Amino acid sequence: MVQHTFENKNVYKDFDLSFSRNPLTNDIGKKTDANAINQSMKMLLSTSFYERPFRPQVGSNLRRILFEPADPITIQDLRASIESLILNYEPRVQILDIKINDNAENNAYDLTIEYSLVNLVQTQTFKTTLRRLR
Amino acid sequence: MADPAVIANLDFDTVKDDLVTHFKSRPEFSDYEFTGSSLNLLMDILSYNTHYYSLASNFLLNESFLDSALLRKNVVSKAKSLNYVPRSISASSTTVTVTFTKQSSSDNLVIIPAGTAFISAVGNVSLTFYTKQDYVLQFDSLTAVGATKSIDVQIFEGSWSTQRYVGDKNYTDFASYELPKNNIDTSTLTVAVNGTRYQKILPEDETLFEAKSNTRCYFVEENRNGGYNIIFGNGIVGKPIQANDEILVSCLSTSGEVGNGVSKFSVSLAGRADATVTSVSGPSTGGSAKETIQSIKDNAPKWFQAQYRAVTVNDYEAFLKKKFADIQSISVYGGEDVGFPGKVFICIKPKSADKLSNATKEIIKKEVIKESNVVTVRPEIVDPKIFKLRLDSVVVYDKTRLDSSREILKTKVSNLFDYVNKNYVGTFMSSFRESNLSYEIKNLDQSIISSNTRVKMSTDVTSTNFYLDTYEYQFNNKLYHPSDGFLSNKGGILYSTLFYREGQTVQSGFDEDGYGNIRLYDYIDNNKVYVNTKAGRINYETGQVDFLYEFRPRDSVFTLIVIPDSVDIIATQDMILEIDSANSSVEAVEIDETDILKNINLSRTF
């Protein structure tokens, strides 16, 4: 009888941008699969157009949208920008749903992105809060 | 581990590609190629860093050498280490004759002070020329009232300005003062400290070694802003500036080459309404922009090599280009090459005219060359011999590949003549090669299949008061002469434009008989009536034309045209060839127009 061994191999690997230290190996902390993707999406969302030298097209105009009146049109604008950003610069992700809730008490939007990774079947969730700083 | 394969790239994208190639061989991380990944961000930073350092290193190395530097301040700095001070902008000048009328018996002395203005204009631009020194004209006490007397005055284009500085401390090092304007002709600088005139020292001046601690001298340097600094001594070489010293610097700010070619002036002298400019020695010349970066790169090493001495022909060229700005092309050759040992011949084509004025030649000989050339060698400045080429081009084209029209094609070829003038001929010893022209015509338009150009040489015959300025014209090229008596009845291979002779009401001209004789004729009712059938000789082998008959032309200029043996024209040491676009022709023939092609004589037309 043939015995199959399935190795739980990480598909995506990245280092932790907080530069934390792994206490066992003393190496830089790593992030894998959904954690790596979440970190990547967070970085993309916080990048504005023209922020990266020589690559002006990378990023979005979320910061500008956050200063617009909090109404359904702005939310739609926000959703379109996020969708376009991920489609263009995060090819590892297939978006299932983007939920944006107006958190008026805190002058913020609660963002939830449900997605699946291209090579993995589980549904993943990315949550963050978008708030203007001033 | 694979090393980044390429380390010579400068662009951000290629540097990053090299890093990506490198990381593909690393197992630790797999997210290097995704835009949002941390590793990608890290690679961006590495790429920026590499990119900026590469460019900075590249610029640094380029600007460190005279040959590759691009910024003027760096080129000037490098030239400074070769003891070379780049030439400043130079003012155009000419000599005018000013005439005064004696007003009274006590009117014996007229002074034209330095700084007297002479007004002129070029187009819509008003120009002012000034005297650099005082001129004094004296009437004889016995001269009658109402008599006139003239004086020659040299004037320079620009505006005089005086700048005042005050020493702020007792200097023990070189005190430097920046002049406020960039368009200063440094040859016109006068510097006085506390009313005492100081002497300018250039690197090539041997007086530098004689400068003592109390020598009143100053140096001039171009600064990093393109302007000029006046630098005084440090107490070891040259007298230093002390606190409260008053420094007055006068200089001429000029428009450079804009002032060239002016020949009409008016003067207004206080208290002398009778002052009038009666004649001008010639159009103003000598105005030129400051030395270009390329010129500094070319001249500084030669100048260093020549060590401020004019010995070889290259030394003369470097020396004159440094000292005299108005040079379009220069050719220097030893007298031993042309049968005059002991002489050196200098042929200069100025930018502003066809030849130098006699006054300018004297200035060059006495003030520029004399101080540096070998004592036993006598410099001789000769005028360039300018020969114009009349081209007749036939272009064969394919209309199916022609985007425009036949006329536009002809205009393109005509415009090409000016390009050839600037890039192939127009300087000394630049011969005209028909194949070069054909190559340029072929590349002009995709529809052009072939071209053929026939060449004639022409030169202007000038005269003064009915006498020719020279009776010998050396074309320096073999002339077309397949057999004796060739085309005798049609006038041979030489002809001239028509001109009037003294006392004649009909025009005259020249042609030749095919046996080497030049014939003078009067042109009456569209017929040639020969006046003298041996008015001159033409040597078909050497291209020499001699006029033997005093035919006293009334017109000051007419044109002599000959047909050379070859379509390639050789330019010798004192010859400059120029394409005469106005008298050249272009014919465009379509490849299917076989009748026309058969009838066109593509080799020669007479």
Side-chain angles (χ1 to χ4, degrees):
Chain A
M1 177 179 168
V2 179
Q3 186 175 354
H4 295 280
T5 303
F6 294 96
E7 188 183 354
N8 184 16
K9 190 178 179 183
N10 296 318
V11 178
Y12 303 116
K13 286 181 286 185
D14 202 356
F15 70 84
D16 186 358
L17 207 56
S18 67
F19 294 100
S20 61
R21 181 167 64 92
N22 184 322
L24 295 177
T25 63
N26 280 335
D27 199 356
I28 191 169
K30 288 180 185 173
K31 295 214 173 200
T32 57
D33 292 340
N35 288 333
I37 301 295
N38 286 349
Q39 180 181 264
S40 172
M41 285 203 288
K42 192 171 181 180
M43 196 186 302
L44 282 173
L45 289 170
S46 57
T47 304
S48 296
F49 289 133
Y50 301 100
E51 191 175 309
R52 292 197 187 185
F54 298 101
R55 305 185 67 190
Q57 77 283 8
V58 174
S60 65
N61 56 1
L62 295 189
R63 280 195 176 85
R64 184 184 63 76
I65 296 171
L66 290 178
F67 281 83
E68 297 295 323
D71 56 23
I73 296 173
T74 303
I75 289 174
Q76 184 55 37
D77 198 7
L78 205 55
R79 180 179 285 110
S81 292
I82 292 167
E83 195 171 352
S84 162
L85 178 67
I86 292 172
L87 274 174
N88 284 329
Y89 299 111
E90 194 41 274
R92 296 169 289 185
V93 164
Q94 191 170 1
I95 298 173
L96 302 175
D97 191 16
I98 296 176
K99 291 176 184 161
I100 300 173
N101 289 326
D102 182 7
N103 185 350
E105 287 181 6
N106 295 317
N107 290 324
Y109 294 107
D110 294 328
L111 171 66
T112 306
I113 302 173
E114 286 183 5
Y115 64 92
S116 66
L117 294 177
V118 171
N119 292 320
L120 299 170
V121 290
Q122 298 100 321
T123 300
Q124 306 291 340
T125 306
F126 168 78
K127 285 187 177 179
T128 190
T129 302
L130 302 174
R131 180 188 294 121
R132 68 185 191 189
L133 293 177
R134 58 181 171 80
Chain B
M1 168 183 162
D3 293 325
V6 184
I7 57 169
N9 289 320
L10 295 179
D11 291 339
F12 174 84
D13 288 332
T14 47
V15 168
K16 192 172 175 186
D17 284 346
D18 292 340
L19 285 170
V20 168
T21 308
H22 167 67
F23 272 96
K24 277 186 175 172
S25 65
R26 304 283 296 173
E28 292 93 333
F29 300 107
S30 55
D31 282 6
Y32 52 83
E33 56 189 346
F34 298 107
T35 310
S37 71
S38 311
L39 200 57
N40 192 291
L41 186 67
L42 197 65
M43 284 198 294
D44 276 351
I45 294 167
L46 278 171
S47 303
Y48 303 148
N49 197 42
T50 310
H51 174 71
Y52 287 134
Y53 270 102
S54 302
L55 285 180
S57 308
N58 206 345
F59 293 151
L60 181 69
L61 279 171
N62 276 337
E63 293 299 319
S64 298
F65 297 96
L66 184 63
D67 279 341
S68 53
L70 293 174
L71 299 177
R72 184 179 178 92
K73 59 185 179 185
N74 294 330
V75 174
V76 170
S77 175
K78 291 287 147 196
K80 191 175 165 185
S81 64
L82 296 173
N83 236 354
Y84 186 83
V85 177
R87 193 186 57 239
S88 70
I89 191 170
S90 56
S92 182
S93 72
T94 188
T95 302
V96 296
T97 306
V98 186
T99 304
F100 294 90
T101 309
K102 186 163 180 172
Q103 303 291 305
S104 65
S105 57
S106 60
D107 182 16
N108 293 329
L109 199 66
V110 180
I111 297 174
I112 305 174
T116 300
F118 289 73
I119 310 295
S120 186
V122 174
N124 295 326
V125 182
S126 176
L127 294 171
T128 310
F129 285 62
Y130 289 93
T131 49
K132 253 167 73 172
Q133 63 184 74
D134 294 345
Y135 289 89
V136 178
L137 178 141
Q138 205 163 4
F139 283 109
D140 196 312
S141 57
L142 300 174
T143 306
V145 173
T148 59
K149 198 169 185 184
S150 300
I151 184 171
D152 287 345
V153 173
Q154 196 175 13
I155 53 176
F156 296 83
E157 187 275 322
S159 62
W160 281 104
S161 60
T162 301
Q163 184 73 20
R164 179 175 176 271
Y165 305 93
V166 176
D168 56 341
K169 63 174 185 178
N170 290 338
Y171 279 91
T172 53
D173 55 354
F174 295 101
S176 178
Y177 296 94
E178 184 172 351
L179 297 177
K181 292 179 180 174
N182 286 359
N183 60 337
I184 289 169
D185 183 345
T186 54
S187 68
T188 63
L189 274 170
T190 57
V191 175
V193 179
N194 298 330
T196 306
R197 185 92 173 258
Y198 272 44
Q199 178 201 358
K200 180 165 69 178
I201 292 186
L202 294 170
E204 60 267 32
D205 291 337
E206 289 184 351
T207 45
L208 174 65
F209 303 111
E210 295 165 5
K212 304 287 189 303
S213 59
N214 59 350
T215 305
R216 292 180 170 87
C217 63
Y218 68 95
F219 309 89
V220 183
E221 279 183 5
E222 184 175 329
N223 60 32
R224 297 177 71 79
N225 304 321
Y228 294 92
N229 279 25
I230 303 280
I231 297 162
F232 291 94
N234 62 349
I236 297 168
V237 177
K239 192 176 180 187
I241 292 295
Q242 302 295 306
N244 300 319
D245 277 354
E246 186 188 49
I247 304 155
L248 291 177
V249 180
S250 297
C251 55
L252 190 71
S253 306
T254 176
S255 313
E257 66 265 44
V258 176
N260 287 339
V262 182
S263 53
K264 285 183 181 174
F265 297 94
S266 62
V267 62
S268 169
L269 201 59
R272 297 298 312 205
D274 57 315
T276 50
V277 177
T278 47
S279 69
V280 181
S281 68
S284 56
T285 57
S288 174
K290 68 163 66 172
E291 191 165 9
T292 62
I293 292 173
Q294 188 57 47
S295 174
I296 298 170
K297 287 180 180 181
D298 292 343
N299 289 338
K302 284 185 184 170
W303 181 244
F304 183 69
Q305 192 182 18
Q307 288 291 313
Y308 327 126
R309 287 285 173 265
V311 180
T312 68
V313 291
N314 285 339
D315 297 346
Y316 275 95
E317 286 183 17
F319 199 81
L320 283 164
K321 280 181 181 172
K322 167 78 167 64
K323 291 284 189 175
F324 185 67
D326 190 14
I327 293 177
Q328 180 187 313
S329 181
I330 179 170
S331 172
V332 181
Y333 49 98
E336 72 278 8
D337 292 340
V338 288
F340 293 100
K343 282 189 172 185
V344 59
F345 289 90
I346 300 158
C347 200
I348 295 175
K349 162 81 172 70
K351 292 173 190 165
S352 50
D354 282 345
K355 59 184 181 183
L356 296 172
S357 66
N358 289 336
T360 312
K361 282 181 194 169
E362 284 305 308
I363 289 173
I364 291 176
K365 275 166 78 169
K366 287 182 179 167
E367 296 180 14
V368 179
I369 302 174
K370 195 179 177 184
E371 62 189 40
S372 294
N373 85 315
V374 178
V375 179
T376 54
V377 176
R378 280 172 296 154
E380 194 74 42
I381 299 180
V382 293
D383 290 330
K385 292 173 184 163
I386 296 173
F387 290 91
K388 296 200 169 164
L389 305 180
R390 296 182 172 198
L391 307 183
D392 297 307
S393 291
V394 177
V395 176
V396 181
Y397 70 98
D398 179 357
K399 73 178 176 189
T400 59
R401 302 181 69 190
L402 182 65
D403 296 333
S404 52
S405 67
R406 184 195 299 246
E407 288 308 312
I408 290 175
L409 188 66
K410 284 165 70 172
T411 309
K412 272 186 181 179
V413 178
S414 296
N415 293 340
L416 183 71
F417 292 161
D418 292 331
Y419 173 81
V420 173
N421 249 343
K422 286 176 187 157
N423 292 279
Y424 287 98
V425 294
T427 55
F428 290 105
M429 300 186 73
S430 295
S431 300
F432 172 79
R433 310 279 177 197
E434 195 270 338
S435 56
N436 287 340
L437 179 68
S438 292
Y439 172 79
E440 293 292 346
I441 292 177
K442 184 82 175 66
N443 289 341
L444 207 55
D445 195 285
Q446 59 175 359
S447 66
I448 294 175
I449 295 167
S450 69
S451 71
N452 186 287
T453 300
R454 289 149 283 151
V455 186
K456 295 186 195 114
M457 289 178 79
S458 74
T459 188
D460 287 342
V461 178
T462 55
S463 59
T464 311
N465 296 330
F466 309 121
Y467 290 100
L468 294 187
D469 293 341
T470 175
Y471 288 80
E472 293 178 6
Y473 290 86
Q474 177 55 272
F475 285 88
N476 280 318
N477 282 269
K478 189 180 177 184
L479 303 179
Y480 191 59
H481 184 63
S483 60
D484 282 347
F486 177 69
L487 282 181
S488 174
N489 55 342
K490 289 187 177 178
I493 53 110
L494 175 144
Y495 64 96
S496 73
T497 54
L498 296 175
F499 57 89
Y500 284 102
R501 291 190 292 140
E502 186 192 15
Q504 297 286 325
T505 54
V506 293
Q507 288 183 301
S508 304
F510 285 106
D511 65 12
E512 60 102 17
D513 64 359
Y515 292 96
N517 297 310
I518 295 176
R519 302 181 292 197
L520 173 67
Y521 62 83
D522 285 342
Y523 199 62
I524 303 170
D525 296 336
N526 294 330
N527 287 313
K528 292 177 181 176
V529 177
Y530 288 102
V531 178
N532 186 336
T533 54
K534 291 188 176 174
R537 292 288 300 168
I538 178 169
N539 187 324
Y540 303 110
E541 284 298 315
T542 61
Q544 173 136 344
V545 171
D546 297 308
F547 289 107
L548 306 173
Y549 175 63
E550 204 65 77
F551 56 96
R552 300 180 69 78
R554 199 167 78 207
D555 293 336
S556 59
V557 61
F558 66 90
T559 307
L560 200 63
I561 301 124
V562 296
I563 296 168
D565 187 57
S566 169
V567 287
D568 287 353
I569 307 297
I570 306 300
T572 53
Q573 283 154 327
D574 55 353
M575 272 177 78
I576 289 181
L577 302 178
E578 285 177 358
I579 295 177
D580 185 357
S581 303
N583 287 303
S584 295
S585 70
V586 178
E587 196 56 56
V589 183
E590 214 273 310
I591 187 70
D592 291 339
E593 293 172 332
T594 46
D595 290 343
I596 298 176
L597 283 174
K598 278 178 192 170
N599 292 323
I600 288 181
N601 178 356
L602 285 177
S603 57
R604 296 199 176 270
T605 300
F606 298 105

